[in-house]
Amino acid sequence: MSDTESVSKESLAAAPKIWRHTIQANPAAAAAFVNRAPAQQAGEVSFANRSDGRVDVYYFL
């Protein structure tokens, strides 16, 4: 493996996760979304109910 390949792999492994946002149709859809691969870990997801029944999902990726 060249030095360039090693640096690239290290920088990818160290890349910070950032918050993302999606809106799901209901709580069941929100739960299914965060359990898809790669499943979120504790502290990596937050939910907020909307007045129209949909759910805001904030997650790390």
Side-chain angles (χ1 to χ4, degrees):
M1 178 179 345
S2 73
D3 288 339
T4 305
E5 289 174 328
S6 132
V7 169
S8 295
K9 288 181 181 180
E10 289 173 8
S11 63
L12 285 175
K17 290 183 172 184
I18 61 171
W19 282 105
R20 311 270 181 176
H21 173 256
T22 185
I23 300 170
Q24 297 296 314
N26 55 48
F33 175 79
V34 298
N35 286 313
R36 290 190 314 203
Q40 299 294 291
Q41 303 298 317
E44 294 184 337
V45 66
S46 179
F47 302 95
N49 292 322
R50 293 175 153 237
S51 61
D52 63 1
R54 297 185 299 165
V55 178
D56 285 308
V57 180
Y58 299 91
Y59 62 99
F60 269 133
L61 189 60

